[in-house]
Amino acid sequence: MSAFLRRLSAFRAGGARRWLFVPYDQLSDEVGPLAREQPGTLGIVLVESARKGRTRPYHKQKLALVLASLRHFALEQAERGVAVRHVRTEGSYADALRAASAELGLLRAMEPAERELRVELAPLVAEGRLELLPHEGWLTTPEQFRAAVGARPPWRMDRFYRHVRRTSGILMDAAGKPLGGKLSFDAENRRSWRGEPPAPEPPLFEPDEVTREVCTLVERRFGDHPGRLDPRRLPASRADVETLWSWARSACLPHFGPFEDAFSARSSGLFHTRLSALMNLLRLPPRRILADVLALELPLASQEGFVRQILGWREFVRHVHRETDGFRANLGGEPEGAADAPARPSHLEAHAPLPPAWWGTSSGLACLDHAVAGVWAEGYSHHIVRLMVLSNLATLLGVEPRELTDWFWVAYTDAYDWVVEPNVLGMGTFAVGELMTTKPYVSGAAYLDRMGDLCEGCRFDPARDCPITPLYWDFLARNGARLAGNARLAMPLRSAARRTPAQRARDARVAARVRERLTAGSEVRPEDCG
């Protein structure tokens, strides 16, 4: 018997129970029925589906975090007196729950956050085997979203965020005015980081026998999946979770705001808290995080900047994903394909394959190679690296947005459909146009050099011969007609139009060479940029 099952079997929970299915991303007793109902009256069903793990080549660190968190959660609930039914299956969640329902009767569950799981479980709901309850892990409601931004797109995060701040009173004074005189300090939070203050080192965790057992399982059953599995970086137990949150509050948040958009080869996270994966599993529910942050004495720019990420962007993207049925509706036409087929919007008609560099083949571009290596080492990088290095370069190359989205989905420990699809299809690649963002987030080498130090040691000079800059100009030239009329791109488009015929020809020539080299899995060379 495994160490986990041996520990779980030590708890005996008798008596009549009302049974809950707890999805893999609702591992909390701080929300929902587990927070309200007496443990002695409840039983939970937890499912480990090997089929789910094989759906995509998920990063091994991601698989280990989900499984280790689920097993520790099972033991925590058993210790509280909740009856725990742990199911391991080679099949689907629906098959496992249909069998559990036949034995236990009607199951309840908070509505899954992931659309993919909702679609899979819909037949059980229709059969009367599963009753869905509202998901209580969110901070805002669909009604609030529609009241803020309307029922139809385009939708804007800043408008939603302003509405939520004003109606909730969060970071507002007694007169209803925002603390510090404004609702957002985003303009102040754009400093580059050159080594001061020192970036904190994230804590390491001593894996217990349950976590070690999960890591062995992942290496055995999913050993062909990409990524490095590091048990010391798995905050799986409740104690581990609290250790990470304590570190984030004291070491990260005081300096988070000013350096929110900076990135560095010397620190993969800088002052970012690394909480997103735990928050998306509800190991640390957003409501608790928000309350704790509001209770801290922090510089207002850091406090507001962090609140904006949790209360603003995170809530906004989940509403957009739900309102569009995962970008299958509200796009100017009827939804296409089967319910379980992936959405494939491509406003800029980008259809190039994702180059092997994103899977670890050297590209010759220091910024890209460093970012990719960090992702496969940790399953993590903070949002600006995701947006302005990984997504930016893919967008400049004309990569198919769905392919990049699926890469993010497998590569990051915090990626689930409701968050990764808006972040990549909506923001990172501009695949849905102006539905939720105002412009493509693209740049040349100058921005990357200004906001980070990933250019150091590169074979290319960002001010002289870096191919990212001609890629940027070529992107504007290729997409000028589609982007005409976009007020936020008016100045770059005018600058692109002023380039001489010789400059435009060089831009196109370099862009074509770079695409050809990267698509072939080869490094970009200085002679490609002449």
Side-chain angles (χ1 to χ4, degrees):
M1 183 182 292
S2 73
F4 164 66
L5 292 178
R6 185 176 65 252
R7 287 176 57 179
L8 186 62
S9 66
F11 298 98
R12 301 294 181 184
R17 303 278 172 158
R18 301 184 70 197
W19 288 88
L20 295 164
F21 164 57
V22 179
Y24 45 81
D25 58 358
Q26 294 180 11
L27 305 179
S28 174
D29 57 19
E30 297 182 45
V31 298
L34 283 170
R36 291 190 303 272
E37 300 178 24
Q38 290 299 314
T41 68
L42 291 174
I44 61 174
V45 179
L46 297 167
V47 177
E48 294 182 13
S49 166
R51 179 185 295 181
K52 174 71 172 182
R54 297 191 191 99
T55 302
R56 300 173 185 85
Y58 291 113
H59 197 304
K60 286 185 281 192
Q61 191 79 355
K62 180 176 189 172
L63 291 172
L65 179 64
V66 172
L67 292 176
S69 297
L70 184 144
R71 292 188 178 191
H72 279 94
F73 176 75
L75 294 172
E76 292 159 10
Q77 296 313 302
E79 187 174 10
R80 293 178 64 222
V82 176
V84 177
R85 181 68 61 89
H86 175 261
V87 180
R88 291 182 62 179
T89 178
E90 295 295 317
S92 68
Y93 288 93
D95 291 341
L97 293 176
R98 186 173 283 109
S101 174
E103 177 186 352
L104 303 172
L106 175 68
L107 302 175
R108 296 180 296 157
M110 288 198 299
E111 181 182 69
E114 278 211 291
R115 179 192 183 276
E116 187 170 82
L117 186 56
R118 293 199 300 271
V119 170
E120 182 180 338
L121 298 184
L124 296 184
V125 177
E127 294 166 16
R129 296 178 181 272
L130 181 67
E131 177 188 358
L132 291 184
L133 310 173
H135 190 308
E136 298 179 32
W138 305 114
L139 299 174
T140 60
T141 65
E143 291 72 27
Q144 286 176 289
F145 177 80
R146 296 181 196 120
V149 299
R152 299 286 298 176
W155 296 307
R156 297 291 176 259
M157 194 281 286
D158 57 346
R159 185 175 174 186
F160 169 75
Y161 177 60
R162 289 196 301 269
H163 176 83
V164 174
R165 283 277 303 279
R166 287 172 174 143
T167 55
S168 68
I170 291 172
L171 293 180
M172 307 292 282
D173 64 22
K177 302 293 184 182
L179 298 181
K182 50 188 174 182
L183 286 161
S184 173
F185 288 83
D186 186 46
E188 284 86 346
N189 291 355
R190 296 177 183 174
R191 289 176 56 187
S192 59
W193 181 79
R194 302 305 177 193
E196 291 294 332
E201 283 291 324
L204 300 177
F205 310 97
E206 182 61 37
D208 64 7
E209 60 180 354
V210 173
T211 298
R212 290 195 302 270
E213 191 170 75
V214 163
C215 292
T216 299
L217 182 153
V218 169
E219 291 286 14
R220 186 178 71 247
R221 304 206 64 183
F222 304 99
D224 58 337
H225 284 220
R228 184 179 72 177
L229 175 52
D230 186 348
R232 301 169 306 158
R233 297 187 183 275
L234 290 173
S237 72
R238 192 186 295 272
D240 295 340
V241 170
E242 295 301 331
T243 295
L244 183 65
W245 183 210
S246 177
W247 169 82
R249 293 198 303 270
S250 62
C252 298
L253 287 177
H255 302 294
F256 170 75
F259 303 105
E260 185 178 350
D261 286 0
F263 50 89
S264 175
R266 289 171 282 174
S267 171
S268 60
L270 285 180
F271 302 100
H272 290 258
T273 61
R274 299 173 179 262
L275 296 178
S276 54
L278 294 179
M279 188 161 31
N280 292 351
L281 293 174
L282 286 192
R283 291 296 277 165
L284 272 174
R287 195 170 302 280
R288 181 193 163 189
I289 292 174
L290 182 63
D292 287 354
V293 169
L294 293 174
L296 293 174
E297 292 187 9
L298 293 171
L300 186 55
S302 289
Q303 190 175 45
E304 186 280 320
F306 188 80
V307 167
R308 187 171 0 105
Q309 297 299 317
I310 307 301
L311 188 64
W313 186 253
R314 185 177 188 272
E315 290 287 313
F316 176 72
V317 299
R318 85 93 175 178
H319 285 301
V320 168
H321 196 260
R322 187 61 187 263
E323 293 290 320
T324 62
D325 191 27
F327 298 110
R328 291 162 177 80
N330 277 327
L331 295 174
E334 292 299 317
E336 298 180 1
D340 57 354
R344 295 184 176 275
S346 186
H347 178 71
L348 300 179
E349 298 182 17
H351 300 296
L354 184 70
W358 270 256
W359 295 99
T361 301
S362 178
S363 72
L365 301 171
C367 59
L368 177 59
D369 290 342
H370 179 84
V372 168
V375 172
W376 292 122
E378 297 187 65
Y380 171 82
S381 55
H382 73 69
H383 74 283
I384 292 298
V385 174
R386 304 187 198 203
L387 179 64
M388 298 309 299
V389 179
L390 296 165
S391 295
N392 176 28
L393 293 184
T395 301
L396 296 181
L397 291 166
V399 167
E400 164 67 50
R402 181 74 248 172
E403 196 168 342
L404 182 67
T405 301
D406 289 341
W407 180 85
F408 270 88
W409 200 343
V410 305
Y412 281 91
T413 59
D414 60 6
Y416 299 91
D417 61 11
W418 64 267
V419 63
V420 74
E421 289 182 326
N423 276 335
V424 184
L425 293 175
M427 191 177 195
T429 64
F430 204 60
V432 297
E434 296 186 33
L435 183 143
M436 60 175 286
T437 57
T438 57
K439 67 168 186 173
Y441 283 82
V442 291
S443 79
Y447 173 87
L448 299 178
D449 188 40
R450 182 171 69 252
M451 294 305 298
D453 58 16
L454 302 188
C455 297
E456 296 177 7
C458 187
R459 65 181 59 168
F460 299 103
D461 185 329
R464 182 172 53 83
D465 63 355
C466 177
I468 296 173
T469 297
L471 277 169
Y472 171 71
W473 290 121
D474 180 67
F475 170 86
L476 292 176
R478 287 186 292 109
N479 293 286
R482 297 185 188 91
L483 300 173
N486 186 305
R488 294 194 65 190
L489 285 181
M491 185 177 296
L493 288 172
R494 285 196 298 269
S495 297
R498 288 196 294 267
R499 292 179 70 75
T500 68
Q503 287 174 319
R504 289 197 292 270
R506 177 183 177 273
D507 296 337
R509 184 173 64 251
V510 171
R513 287 177 179 169
V514 170
R515 281 192 208 94
E516 180 182 6
R517 298 286 296 175
L518 293 180
T519 301
S522 302
E523 290 188 350
V524 180
R525 308 161 302 183
E527 53 264 37
D528 297 321
C529 303

